[in-house]
Amino acid sequence: MKGLLGLSADFIDRMTNAAHGEGVNEAYCCRFAELLQSDESLAYQLSAGDLSESDTGLLSMQSWLWYLRWVATQEKLPSDGFLNVLYEDASDSLLRLVVLDSVMTHPVIVQRYSDIPERQTVHLEELPPSWPRDLILALISPELADSLAIDARPAGQIAEIVEVSFSLLQIGNTPAMVILRGLLAYPWPYRGEVVQAVDHWLQSSEISGVELDRWRDRLGLRAD
């Protein structure tokens, strides 16, 4: 399956890369829709089932961002290993936000977290399995951090976790808020620094006092 994806790299680039111009993008989008309609097996052949950690070079980052959105329509998700490497490759915080958003808004993840009340604090380990949850657990664990090639020193860990926290805030759907609430309650040595960073972000966002209290309550940051 991934061989076909690699062979399609130029096609997908012309369909998704704005550098080719709107006319080229639209023409290739139309052609892709025609191909899907004429060959019912094509969507399955392009699905994410066999993507591994070594496959991120098959497409450009721009194409992968499109692919994550498209594969959600097939109710498929790439493996956690693949997503870890793609997230690392997306060194820009905005690209990382898009990768996280593509997974957090995926129908499979939304359904998996749909039964959890948003204002209920659930320990990270007890949340339904998902790549974002496991990414956070890896980032806050010095033992697991090596597998993600992150800076496992305190400053590096805190920066990584704060970036993920801000991304989850911007995504803002129920799975993102449930995971973020679990993170902000997680008993690790630098919890206070992350809570402070998130609260500062909320205060600097120029929302009203009532709205600020609502967000703090949503994240479990208000004192009882």
Side-chain angles (χ1 to χ4, degrees):
M1 310 300 180
K2 59 188 177 185
L4 177 60
L5 194 60
L7 289 172
S8 305
D10 287 342
F11 186 103
I12 295 173
D13 183 69
R14 290 180 176 275
M15 182 169 58
T16 62
N17 191 339
H20 294 296
E22 185 177 348
V24 171
N25 294 161
E26 185 175 345
Y28 275 80
C29 283
C30 290
R31 180 58 178 154
F32 183 63
E34 292 170 357
L35 291 170
L36 288 174
Q37 189 171 12
S38 63
D39 183 356
E40 295 181 354
S41 68
L42 181 58
Y44 172 77
Q45 293 176 53
L46 290 173
S47 67
D50 61 343
L51 289 173
S52 66
E53 294 92 331
S54 61
D55 292 328
T56 57
L58 290 175
L59 301 177
S60 67
M61 181 58 65
Q62 175 103 13
S63 295
W64 281 126
L65 298 179
W66 168 85
Y67 181 80
L68 289 176
R69 295 292 190 190
W70 174 78
V71 82
T73 66
Q74 311 303 308
E75 298 191 355
K76 301 286 186 181
L77 269 172
S79 69
D80 287 3
F82 172 86
L83 290 169
N84 279 336
V85 176
L86 189 66
Y87 186 81
E88 292 167 21
D89 289 349
S91 55
D92 180 270
S93 59
L94 178 58
L95 296 178
R96 287 183 164 192
L97 168 61
V98 176
V99 173
L100 270 170
D101 182 70
S102 298
V103 178
M104 294 308 312
T105 58
H106 192 288
V108 170
I109 299 301
V110 171
Q111 176 61 34
R112 198 175 290 172
Y113 281 75
S114 62
D115 292 333
I116 302 176
E118 193 175 290
R119 285 174 168 78
Q120 175 182 331
T121 301
V122 181
H123 294 298
L124 285 174
E125 294 94 335
E126 297 175 3
L127 288 172
S130 67
W131 169 70
R133 183 209 68 166
D134 294 344
L135 171 68
I136 289 171
L137 285 172
L139 289 173
I140 61 181
S141 168
E143 294 77 16
L144 296 177
D146 289 342
S147 67
L148 291 174
I150 69 164
D151 185 348
R153 293 172 298 179
Q157 279 188 289
I158 294 169
E160 293 272 355
I161 285 294
V162 167
E163 181 179 338
V164 173
S165 299
F166 289 173
S167 292
L168 294 174
L169 274 171
Q170 291 175 81
I171 294 166
N173 67 352
T174 294
M177 292 297 96
V178 167
I179 291 175
L180 181 54
R181 187 175 176 121
L183 165 62
L184 295 176
Y186 194 83
W188 69 301
Y190 308 108
R191 172 181 175 270
E193 285 87 339
V194 176
V195 168
Q196 185 178 26
V198 169
D199 196 58
H200 178 74
W201 189 92
L202 291 173
Q203 293 182 61
S204 62
S205 61
E206 299 183 356
I207 57 179
S208 68
V210 172
E211 186 69 6
L212 177 60
D213 285 344
R214 189 183 72 82
W215 271 97
R216 284 172 169 164
D217 183 61
R218 195 179 182 194
L219 295 172
L221 297 181
R222 293 188 67 187
D224 295 331

